[in-house]
Amino acid sequence: MNVLKNELNKVRNTIADEKQNLESMRQKHEVLKRDNDSITADIKRQKLLADTVEQQVKQRIKNIQENASSFLTDMMFQLPLYQSSNSHILEKSRKNYFVKGTFVETLKGEFVSNDGTCIELLKENLMEAGVIKHISGSLATYLYGAHLLRIPLILTGPGSEDIADAMAITFTERRADKLTFTGDVDEASITRCLEDDGKFITIANPFNTNWAYKLPELLRTPSKYFVLATPYPEELLIEPGSLYNLALPVLTDILVDKEASGKYISVKKAASYKDQRRPDELGNYGRPPLLGSLEISSLARTFIQRLYNCFCQLWKESPDEFFFIYGLLPLAYSLGKIDIVRAHIQANGPRLSKINHELVRPYLGD
């Protein structure tokens, strides 16, 4: 009996243990189920999130593609404008040695109709450029003749560019265009100069050795009139004599006595005005004094002779004296022939008035 009780107790205890195990397993199952549900829910959320992100990414890619297409389309139109603007900026940043002369407003109701009125206008403008009053008329005649015959000039000394502007405004109603010989040759600046509609050009710093080979080509341009300008007359002493086959020198340091005012007068040309002359339209006034004593080329001699004939035709008061100051003295100085000039003047003249002798004293002495 006791044995049966013991067995029954064992069975009961076993059942109780199994129940306890079952409860423990049920609890574990609940925990695992909750974990599984949680994981499943997380997976669903992650999948939903992934789907959402994928849709957003696709939409963003689509937007980017559309925007890129729009951007490229816009750039097709904007790029030429950008390139044009950029080219303009680059062009501005590049060296430019050519400056266009500005127009000067002309007097209303006034016209230049002949040599005399043009010379008178140039005389007034030369005085505004600082030229001494008592020589302004004769100098205007000399410069007028050089322009009339298209003989280029080399203005050396103070006021050289101002005198060039006075000439340019008188002849073309605008300041001189300016081409500066700086550094290495800039072909673009030369092209701009030659293609510009200006007819009167000042070449500044004309004795730059890098540009020297360009002078003959430029000075032969038929549609342009060139004046070379430098503030230093001494530069003439180191230039080759062949330079005067191209242009004739003028010493401005003996011609100016004040700074330029810049108050130039511009007057329109009448339809009848003729701004050029052929050599055969001028008289023959013989050989100018001193010309035979200067060893110069035939071409330079021809320039001098033509200009002398023109000057004598237009200026009647002591033409030899003034032509010597403007044409022959500068040439003699440039060629190192001042001693020959002194000897010639003492023996043969031309006789200089006291006031003009004072002008040339820096070169001839007492």
Side-chain angles (χ1 to χ4, degrees):
M1 190 68 175
N2 290 329
V3 173
L4 290 173
K5 284 183 179 180
N6 290 335
E7 289 295 328
L8 181 60
N9 287 334
K10 288 181 179 178
V11 170
R12 286 176 178 168
N13 290 335
T14 301
I15 291 171
D17 290 340
E18 291 299 328
K19 283 183 178 179
Q20 189 175 6
N21 290 337
L22 179 61
E23 184 63 25
S24 176
M25 291 178 66
R26 185 183 297 111
Q27 291 176 355
K28 289 181 179 179
H29 177 267
E30 290 295 330
V31 170
L32 291 173
K33 185 175 183 300
R34 286 196 299 272
D35 290 343
N36 181 69
D37 291 344
S38 176
I39 291 171
T40 301
D42 285 342
I43 290 173
K44 288 181 178 180
R45 284 195 300 272
Q46 292 293 337
K47 186 176 184 302
L48 180 61
L49 178 62
D51 290 343
T52 303
V53 169
E54 182 181 7
Q55 291 299 320
Q56 290 177 344
V57 169
K58 287 181 178 180
Q59 184 62 41
R60 291 189 65 183
I61 291 173
K62 182 180 179 181
N63 291 340
I64 290 171
Q65 289 174 335
E66 291 176 351
N67 291 339
S69 176
S70 176
F71 171 76
L72 292 174
T73 302
D74 289 344
M75 284 301 292
M76 289 176 65
F77 293 98
Q78 297 294 335
L79 190 56
L81 296 175
Y82 167 78
Q83 290 174 332
S84 175
S85 175
N86 193 46
S87 297
H88 178 70
I89 294 171
L90 289 175
E91 185 70 19
K92 285 285 187 182
S93 67
R94 292 180 59 192
K95 293 179 179 177
N96 180 16
Y97 301 133
F98 173 73
V99 178
K100 184 184 181 74
T102 55
F103 278 94
V104 176
E105 186 176 1
T106 57
L107 294 179
K108 294 181 179 179
E110 298 287 338
F111 294 93
V112 168
S113 57
N114 53 41
D115 296 334
T117 54
C118 195
I119 291 172
E120 187 62 28
L121 175 62
L122 180 54
K123 172 186 172 181
E124 296 297 322
N125 282 334
L126 287 176
M127 286 192 286
E128 297 299 336
V131 169
I132 299 169
K133 183 177 181 178
H134 91 268
I135 62 169
S136 57
S138 56
L139 178 61
T141 305
Y142 183 87
L143 300 178
Y144 180 78
H147 180 261
L148 207 60
L149 298 172
R150 293 300 188 266
I151 298 173
L153 297 175
I154 310 167
L155 303 179
T156 65
S160 54
E161 290 191 30
D162 298 309
I163 291 174
D165 270 343
M167 295 174 67
I169 292 167
T170 300
F171 301 139
T172 67
E173 300 157 30
R174 69 188 239 188
R175 291 181 180 272
D177 293 345
K178 185 176 180 180
L179 180 63
T180 303
F181 286 3
T182 300
D184 295 328
V185 171
D186 182 59
E187 294 289 350
S189 295
I190 292 176
T191 299
R192 282 190 285 272
C193 174
L194 296 178
E195 290 181 352
D196 187 78
D197 60 353
K199 296 181 179 180
F200 193 109
I201 300 92
T202 297
I203 297 178
N205 193 29
F207 302 129
N208 181 312
T209 54
N210 294 330
W211 293 67
Y213 74 98
K214 285 292 183 180
L215 271 177
E217 174 189 347
L218 288 169
L219 299 185
R220 286 196 298 264
T221 306
S223 61
K224 309 282 186 180
Y225 181 76
F226 287 89
V227 165
L228 285 60
T230 173
Y232 309 112
E234 296 80 7
E235 287 192 283
L236 293 173
L237 298 174
I238 59 176
E239 293 303 313
S242 56
L243 175 64
Y244 311 115
N245 294 329
L246 304 174
L248 296 179
V250 176
L251 299 170
T252 65
D253 57 340
I254 60 176
L255 307 178
V256 298
D257 63 352
K258 56 185 176 295
E259 293 185 357
S261 72
K263 299 177 181 178
Y264 303 115
I265 304 169
S266 178
V267 178
K268 288 184 176 296
K269 305 298 181 293
S272 59
Y273 175 73
K274 186 178 181 182
D275 67 350
Q276 293 190 47
R277 298 289 189 282
R278 298 190 312 273
D280 59 8
E281 295 180 84
L282 305 172
N284 187 345
Y285 293 85
R287 189 169 67 179
L290 277 173
L291 185 58
S293 301
L294 300 178
E295 297 175 1
I296 58 177
S297 70
S298 297
L299 184 56
R301 193 180 302 274
T302 298
F303 281 163
I304 287 288
Q305 186 65 61
R306 288 178 179 173
L307 189 48
Y308 179 72
N309 289 339
C310 184
F311 185 75
C312 290
Q313 187 179 71
L314 297 172
W315 184 261
K316 303 301 183 182
E317 183 181 343
S318 304
D320 286 354
E321 179 180 0
F322 287 103
F323 191 83
F324 166 77
I325 295 172
Y326 308 137
L328 295 173
L329 175 63
L331 196 57
Y333 169 75
S334 305
L335 298 171
K337 306 283 188 181
I338 288 296
D339 289 340
I340 294 176
V341 170
R342 288 196 192 100
H344 191 285
I345 288 177
Q346 289 175 359
N348 307 300
R351 294 180 60 84
L352 301 176
S353 66
K354 183 177 180 180
I355 191 170
N356 285 340
H357 187 272
E358 287 299 317
L359 290 182
V360 300
R361 184 191 295 271
Y363 291 94
L364 295 182
D366 295 328

